[in-house]
Amino acid sequence: MAANGERKTVAPDQRCAIGLTFGNSYSSIACTIDDSAVVIANEDGDRQIPTVLSYVDGEEYVGNQAKAFLVRNANNTLVSFRDFLGQDFKSIDPTHCHAAAHPQDASDSVAFSVQDKAEGDASTLSVSEVATRYIRRLVQSASDYLGKQVTSAVLTIPTNFTDKQCEALIQAANNADLEVLQLIKEPVADVLAYDARPEAILEDKNIVVADLGGSRSDVAVVASRGGMYTILATAHDYEFAGVHLDKVLMDHFAKEFMKKNKDVDPRENARSLAKLKAESESAKKALSIGTNASFSVESLAEGIDFQTTINRLRYETVARNVLGGINRLIEGVVKSAGLDVLDIDEVILSGGTSHTPKIAANMRNIFPESTQIQAPSTNPSAINPSELQARGAALQASLIQEYETEDVDQSTHPAVTTVAHITNAIGIVSVGHDGEGFSLSSPPETAVPARRTIHINGPKEGGDVLIKVIEGNTHIKVTKPEPKPEKKDEEKDEEDSDFSDEEEEEDKREKVWKSGETLAEAAVRGLKKGSKVEVTVNVAADLGVTITAREVGGKGGVRGNIAA
Ligand code: ATP
Ligand code: MG
């Protein structure tokens, strides 16, 4: 066991590293085989392992086996504890533990009281101890699968984890005898998993990563520039997530049950509620694959069995508030990044709730056609959203496991998330005697230092060209549809009823470049006929800009510096 505050480290040649996603609802473990990431099934055959521990007669159960005990051993079943790590009791939201072991105040941190031994009194377990026991089981499953002891891992964390939460997570992992190679942010793990595919084209792009989990939805806008990722904006929500979809189904099925069995509400009895919840979650998952799902519980309440079905349309209707909340969350974060939906090249749907076809369909409607929506129902080659983060973490682990722990410097790896970047784009305007040309050198949010070289055609007949380096940005141009030609008065009257149709014709929205301040000008003189000018813009880490312009193949050139 690592002493408090001391980090567990393993020599690089002794390591066996995995990627680990430890969520409040589910967790996953992954490794790499021949450079591609594989999510590992535990001994029950599960790749999404419920983050649940349960104690029965001194025996510890984990995952789906433990989750099943929520019906008859709720008090000794631990759920939804990940976010409690490193938090004061006062600042936690205990809602999700309502029908399980209750969190308690333990001198400002969080603890649980459970009967974890066959005999004697209940034990008080700190949340750190609970996390350690759970992580130990995940590591054991991974070690069994790999046939050797797993020593190290890259773990994923939400973008709003505080330093204290990160520290508590590392400590909990270390206490489970697991070295933490690095903590990477969940949206970065998602992007890594996609960018690691052999067919991935690594071009500059803006990505929305929507991580829709069980108890929380986290959205991030990520700028990918030259293999560097910058998080531009994030949003976190605890009202519109998987459990809220379970809840609408629970209410739906409870009402159906009450239609047949007057005055028996299965939500009023703890055991009935637990059965209702488990079966509602199963029906919800089934509705992601099929258009119908059955709901069947033996002895749901007062010994009465209950069977019914629900179709997807009905589900989407009862769930519309939650689904609408998810839409608003995603639209909001694009705005808070200072962007428009037209600026988004890709939407990555991650987390279990992202299997929901309606959510992907809503994204398809919100974003323009040019935006790729990475979700199973809109793109057959999308990666399983439940596996993305563990895969990303495993890929990162395989990249860095050869380094000494102290050399695993955040800034030397693609997991970089906070680097300096230019806010405006830099563009090049060339003015020759046959007109003006424009090229974009660096889009906004390009991480610095950055160096971009572009070639511009010189004037057809040769001569002089003026190169202007300008700062600028794109803005959204809205064009109203062409007004229909004026009609004669009598025609107008007749067509009054059609008028509303015309009104509904949508405005055309497009991105257009808007030039700002000129940063530098340079004249390249005496170009040969048909020659090209090479312009290199170099933005240093301190945002100082150096520009060189020269004729391709020619001698000399012009060079200028602009201080930051
Ligand atoms: P959190 O930390 O937010 O509680 P998590 O990150 O631990 O969640 P995820 O595995 O991302 O968990 O998401 C779990 C949620 O996804 C659960 O509500 C689960 O019911 C839901 N889910 C899993 N698979 C599907 C599916 N096929 N269709 C719809 N929902 C699903
Ligand atoms: Mg999650």
Side-chain angles (χ1 to χ4, degrees):
M1 196 185 272
N4 211 18
E6 224 172 77
R7 294 281 172 86
K8 176 184 164 68
T9 58
V10 177
D13 59 350
Q14 302 293 315
R15 276 191 191 127
C16 171
I18 58 167
L20 195 157
T21 294
F22 168 22
N24 289 296
S25 307
Y26 288 83
S27 300
S28 296
I29 38 185
C31 62
T32 51
I33 296 173
D34 296 335
D35 290 337
S36 73
V38 180
V39 176
I40 299 170
N42 72 357
E43 48 285 8
D44 297 329
D46 297 319
R47 289 185 172 78
Q48 272 70 58
I49 304 162
T51 304
V52 186
L53 281 179
S54 187
Y55 293 92
V56 183
D57 300 331
E59 187 96 32
E60 183 183 80
Y61 294 84
V62 67
N64 268 317
Q65 292 194 25
K67 196 170 174 175
F69 281 118
L70 280 170
V71 175
R72 52 184 185 89
N73 183 36
N75 291 341
N76 295 312
T77 304
L78 298 144
V79 302
S80 212
F81 46 82
R82 197 274 318 263
D83 278 359
F84 299 165
L85 280 168
Q87 289 220 65
D88 292 347
F89 180 75
K90 289 183 287 294
S91 39
I92 64 160
D93 172 9
T95 317
H96 304 295
C97 301
H98 177 69
H102 292 302
Q104 301 165 353
D105 193 349
S107 57
D108 282 346
S109 69
V110 180
F112 299 88
S113 176
V114 291
Q115 184 69 50
D116 63 338
K117 294 182 205 76
E119 282 161 20
D121 294 339
S123 313
T124 300
L125 306 178
S126 66
V127 62
S128 175
E129 171 64 15
V130 173
T132 295
R133 290 184 183 188
Y134 180 69
I135 292 171
R136 196 176 278 136
R137 296 295 297 262
L138 295 179
V139 169
Q140 189 55 50
S141 296
S143 302
D144 290 347
Y145 174 89
L146 293 168
K148 56 184 169 188
Q149 185 60 39
V150 168
T151 61
S152 316
V154 167
L155 268 67
T156 60
I157 47 162
T159 55
N160 64 347
F161 242 36
T162 62
D163 288 347
K164 216 174 148 201
Q165 286 175 294
C166 293
E167 203 45 55
L169 177 61
I170 294 173
Q171 204 48 244
N174 283 178
N175 290 344
D177 223 13
L178 183 71
E179 175 195 31
V180 176
L181 288 172
Q182 195 178 34
L183 298 178
I184 62 171
K185 303 208 164 158
E186 287 165 349
V188 173
D190 290 319
V191 177
L192 276 176
Y194 269 104
D195 279 354
R197 296 187 304 174
E199 68 271 28
I201 304 161
L202 293 185
E203 52 194 5
D204 291 351
K205 55 189 172 184
N206 296 328
I207 310 160
V208 167
V209 183
D211 173 8
L212 312 174
S215 56
R216 49 188 292 167
S217 290
D218 301 283
V219 190
V221 180
V222 180
S224 168
R225 304 281 183 269
M228 300 279 267
Y229 304 130
T230 311
I231 295 181
L232 303 180
T234 57
H236 309 279
D237 179 275
Y238 305 87
E239 304 295 322
F240 305 112
V243 290
H244 307 97
L245 293 171
D246 298 343
K247 176 77 172 42
V248 294
L249 281 176
M250 287 164 69
D251 289 339
H252 170 81
F253 291 126
K255 282 181 201 149
E256 290 250 301
F257 182 79
M258 289 166 71
K259 269 189 218 158
K260 292 184 186 140
N261 306 281
K262 292 238 171 332
D263 302 327
V264 188
D265 187 342
R267 293 166 294 188
E268 281 171 0
N269 162 300
R271 259 185 206 203
S272 302
L273 185 73
K275 288 182 181 177
L276 181 68
K277 185 167 168 36
E279 189 63 8
S280 294
E281 189 186 2
S282 301
K284 177 188 73 173
K285 290 183 184 176
L287 285 166
S288 291
I289 307 165
T291 48
N292 273 290
S294 61
F295 176 97
S296 163
V297 179
E298 253 178 60
S299 176
L300 177 56
E302 295 187 5
I304 310 165
D305 297 348
F306 186 56
Q307 276 181 354
T308 183
T309 59
I310 182 168
N311 67 32
R312 197 186 273 172
L313 207 62
R314 182 92 189 106
Y315 167 52
E316 289 168 359
T317 309
V318 293
R320 68 187 175 280
N321 279 341
V322 181
L323 298 171
I326 292 172
N327 291 346
R328 286 194 300 280
L329 180 72
I330 295 171
E331 288 175 300
V333 70
V334 173
K335 279 211 189 78
S336 63
L339 298 176
D340 185 271
V341 289
L342 287 170
D343 295 312
I344 304 301
D345 302 289
E346 196 172 335
V347 176
I348 294 180
L349 286 175
S350 166
T353 300
S354 288
H355 286 277
T356 312
K358 185 66 179 174
I359 294 176
N362 289 342
M363 294 304 113
R364 190 60 288 163
N365 285 333
I366 290 171
F367 289 90
E369 229 171 287
S370 55
T371 307
Q372 275 228 35
I373 310 291
Q374 302 284 20
S377 60
T378 48
N379 178 4
S381 64
I383 302 174
N384 181 345
S386 296
E387 295 195 349
L388 274 172
Q389 285 168 10
R391 284 184 182 223
L395 292 161
Q396 182 69 3
S398 80
L399 272 177
I400 63 176
Q401 63 183 343
E402 288 135 40
Y403 295 86
E404 295 289 344
T405 319
E406 54 270 31
D407 295 337
V408 179
D409 173 359
Q410 299 265 346
S411 65
T412 55
H413 296 290
V416 169
T417 56
T418 40
V419 290
H421 55 269
I422 54 171
T423 344
N424 281 329
I426 294 177
I428 312 286
V429 175
S430 57
V431 191
H433 50 71
D434 46 5
E436 266 194 24
F438 171 76
S439 317
L440 186 64
S441 155
S442 310
E445 322 307 345
T446 294
V448 292
R451 180 192 170 92
R452 299 289 157 103
T453 300
I454 57 172
H455 287 157
I456 294 171
N457 288 329
K460 276 200 197 79
E461 297 304 320
D464 301 343
V465 71
L466 178 69
I467 304 289
K468 283 202 270 190
V469 179
I470 50 168
E471 207 175 30
N473 227 323
T474 49
H475 75 130
I476 307 294
K477 188 175 147 202
V478 182
T479 323
K480 296 267 174 221
E482 285 275 307
K484 296 270 158 64
E486 274 289 318
K487 296 200 177 91
K488 289 194 210 94
D489 275 355
E490 59 271 30
E491 271 182 35
K492 243 189 192 163
D493 286 345
E494 278 168 31
E495 290 202 358
D496 249 4
S497 55
D498 290 341
F499 197 66
S500 56
D501 276 3
E502 285 176 27
E503 282 281 89
E504 273 172 21
E505 209 174 309
E506 276 187 27
D507 293 348
K508 185 172 158 218
R509 301 175 74 251
E510 59 191 329
K511 271 203 288 187
V512 291
W513 169 264
K514 193 172 162 212
S515 300
E517 210 182 320
T518 301
L519 295 176
E521 282 183 349
V524 185
R525 295 190 192 281
L527 293 171
K528 288 194 209 77
K529 202 172 158 178
S531 64
K532 281 184 192 284
V533 180
E534 181 185 88
V535 184
T536 302
V537 179
N538 206 338
V539 187
D542 65 355
L543 300 179
V545 183
T546 308
I547 292 143
T548 50
R550 63 181 189 91
E551 184 177 354
V552 176
K555 287 202 190 84
V558 217
R559 183 189 167 92
N561 287 312
I562 308 155

